[in-house]
């Protein structure tokens, strides 16, 4: 398929999709695979898609859920990246690493809700539509997810835990 509109969509939105996929998976390689799978599904139905970003997000969530069910708990994500040139000592990187490590400890569904709701800044109704669940489920998963993140980050510096999740130190 050689559709200029689809090609433009991919060129414009690829980096955004990759960031979201990385947050959903915790791995650069898995994120790239997830985006590519989702884009293949979208490409097949491109002419019928009204809202491409919503459709691709839904495809990524579905694919991630399917992979998680197939792989189950055998997937092991680590906080260390091999072949890294050297440690980056900036505060932003430390905060992001702590948050990603905490996200890695959440169940896939809870993590998906938090990524779509707070990273993508989607309304609860859109998150529910992307995940195929009710708005109430999104609300409860978000509340539980934030509570669990607070627990995980409690051992971190108070400024980091409070700054990321809205608590006051």
């Amino acid at each position: 398929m050689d559709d200029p509109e689809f090609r433009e969509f991919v060129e414009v939105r690829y980096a955004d999709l990759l960031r979201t996929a990385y947050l959903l998976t915790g791995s650069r390689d898995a994120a790239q695979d997830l985006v590519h799978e989702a884009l293949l599904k979208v490409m097949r139905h491109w002419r019928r898609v009204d809202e491409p970003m919503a459709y691709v997000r839904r495809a990524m969530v579905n694919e991630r859920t399917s992979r998680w069910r197939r792989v189950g708990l055998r997937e092991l994500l680590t906080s260390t990246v091999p072949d890294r040139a050297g440690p980056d000592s900036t505060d932003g990187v430390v905060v992001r690493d702590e948050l990603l490590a905490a996200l890695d400890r959440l169940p896939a569904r809870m993590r998906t809700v938090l990524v779509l709701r707070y990273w993508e800044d989607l309304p609860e109704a859109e998150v529910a539509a992307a995940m195929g669940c009710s708005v109430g489920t999104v609300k409860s998963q978000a509340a539980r997810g934030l509570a669990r993140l607070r627990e995980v980050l409690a051992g971190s510096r108070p400024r980091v835990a409070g700054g990321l999740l809205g608590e006051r130190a």
Side-chain angles (χ1 to χ4, degrees):
M1 173 182 174
D2 190 27
D3 188 331
E5 289 179 21
F6 180 74
R7 182 181 305 271
E8 180 183 352
F9 171 78
V10 172
E11 288 172 358
V12 170
R13 293 299 199 161
Y14 187 79
D16 296 331
L17 293 170
L18 194 57
R19 276 190 297 275
T20 301
Y22 178 76
L23 291 169
L24 290 171
T25 63
S27 161
R28 286 187 180 119
D29 293 333
Q32 288 176 339
D33 290 345
L34 186 63
V35 171
H36 293 169
E37 287 293 323
L39 287 174
L40 280 173
K41 290 177 182 176
V42 171
M43 183 176 68
R44 292 181 196 130
H45 305 286
W46 180 251
R47 290 288 169 205
R48 296 182 301 211
V49 174
D50 293 330
E51 298 204 22
M53 279 302 286
Y55 193 92
V56 174
R57 278 192 203 107
R58 177 69 188 249
M60 288 191 320
V61 168
N62 289 345
E63 181 65 24
R64 172 65 178 142
T65 302
S66 295
R67 286 183 188 179
W68 180 77
R69 287 181 180 145
R70 282 192 306 265
V71 175
L73 298 175
R74 291 178 285 158
E75 183 176 355
L76 177 64
L77 301 175
T78 64
S79 61
T80 58
V81 179
D83 300 323
R84 193 166 251 195
D88 189 350
S89 61
T90 62
D91 194 41
V93 172
V94 172
V95 170
R96 187 178 77 181
D97 284 347
E98 289 174 358
L99 181 58
L100 288 174
L103 278 172
D104 285 343
R105 296 178 62 185
L106 298 179
R109 186 175 180 135
M110 198 175 284
R111 179 183 180 143
T112 300
V113 166
L114 293 178
V115 167
L116 294 178
R117 182 71 180 101
Y118 299 107
W119 175 262
E120 288 291 319
D121 199 26
L122 295 179
E124 290 160 342
E126 285 185 40
V127 175
M131 294 182 65
C133 64
S134 71
V135 172
T137 299
V138 170
K139 289 179 180 181
S140 67
Q141 289 290 305
R144 289 183 189 132
L146 289 174
R148 187 147 333 148
L149 280 177
R150 285 183 185 107
E151 288 173 16
V152 170
L153 293 171
S156 298
R157 297 172 297 193
R159 180 184 54 78
V160 173
L164 288 176
L165 301 175
E167 291 181 344
R168 295 185 184 187

